[in-house]
Amino acid sequence: MNSIPLSSLAPTANRGRSPWVGLVLTRVLLAAAFLALWSVAAARMPSFVLPGPVKVWHALVALTQTPSFAHDVGMTSYRVATGFVLAALVGTPLGLALGSSRALARVFEPLLAVMNTVSSAIWAVFAIIWFGISNATTIFVVFMTAMPLILTNVWQGSRNVDKQWIDLARSLRFSRTRILFRIHLPSILPYFFSGARLAFGFGWRVSLVAETLGSSDGIGYRLRQAADLVQTDQVFAWTLLLVALMLALEGGILKPLERHLFRWKPL
């Protein structure tokens, strides 16, 4: 039996690793370049205008040691999660209904366009008028921002369902409800996750607007406090914390869940 040289196996063994190594190195270099540019710019400006990375890091460490830190992060996470879940529970069935019925789509399409046009700041003003300074204000703003995005993506996914599957189901005398849940729902899952990830990111951002205007705690409220007191290092620290939370939830929950559900799809 002829032996196979180990050198011929090395490229195959490393083939799956090299793209990940390159991606990690690229991101590390980008982060290093960003920090370097930030440090150079901060050295040329007053600290109350642009604090440096070291000062912001010290401010972030100090914030984590305050008694209200865990409460503020927890309240913002709770409001965003509640608004997002409500948006998914409402937007998914509505998107399925519009995708499976052209009559409903013609009726509600103008309303959906209006909802996508209205700014989150306007929803925040309405929420303050209706709910006052309460959790419902932020939850409502997150819901009104995320729900149209999820609805639109699910609707577009329902419209792209293979008509042959629907015809086959009808020939087998499936009910409308069974067609909805056995054909439409599995087909729109990729569209749902695309819209959900987009809606989740928007939800985090608009929660700051809502908490700034209509809340007495949370990350947005603390950001407004720090800005009012010209504590720019704390403003940057809260912002970096919010970005870190978004990236952790995106990379730790949404992306792995999406990969698990669609592991059958070819890459």
Side-chain angles (χ1 to χ4, degrees), residues 22-38:
L23 179 63
V24 171
L25 288 176
T26 302
R27 291 181 176 178
V28 169
L29 290 175
L30 285 175
F34 172 75
L35 290 174
L37 291 174
W38 183 3

Side-chain angles (χ1 to χ4, degrees), residues 72-88 135-147 150 196-211 218-220 242 245-246 249 254:
D72 290 322
V73 174
M75 289 307 299
T76 297
S77 302
Y78 161 74
R79 292 162 183 157
V80 173
T82 303
F84 176 77
V85 170
L86 289 175
N135 289 335
T137 297
T138 303
I139 292 172
F140 175 79
V141 176
V142 173
F143 171 81
M144 293 304 298
T145 302
M147 191 272 290
I150 295 176
R197 289 171 60 183
L198 184 64
F200 189 75
F202 273 101
W204 271 105
R205 290 194 287 272
V206 301
S207 68
L208 297 185
V209 178
E211 288 182 342
I219 295 177
L242 184 70
L245 287 173
M246 288 177 60
L249 290 171
L254 293 180

Side-chain angles (χ1 to χ4, degrees), residues 189-249:
L189 276 178
Y191 296 88
F192 168 79
F193 268 90
S194 177
R197 289 171 60 183
L198 184 64
F200 189 75
F202 273 101
W204 271 105
R205 290 194 287 272
V206 301
S207 68
L208 297 185
V209 178
E211 288 182 342
T212 298
L213 298 175
S215 182
S216 58
D217 53 11
I219 295 177
Y221 173 74
R222 298 302 175 188
L223 272 170
R224 187 187 67 188
Q225 270 192 334
D228 291 341
L229 298 173
V230 199
Q231 297 173 332
T232 315
D233 55 342
Q234 291 192 18
V235 173
F236 274 74
W238 281 116
T239 303
L240 289 178
L241 175 66
L242 184 70
V243 172
L245 287 173
M246 288 177 60
L247 292 176
L249 290 171

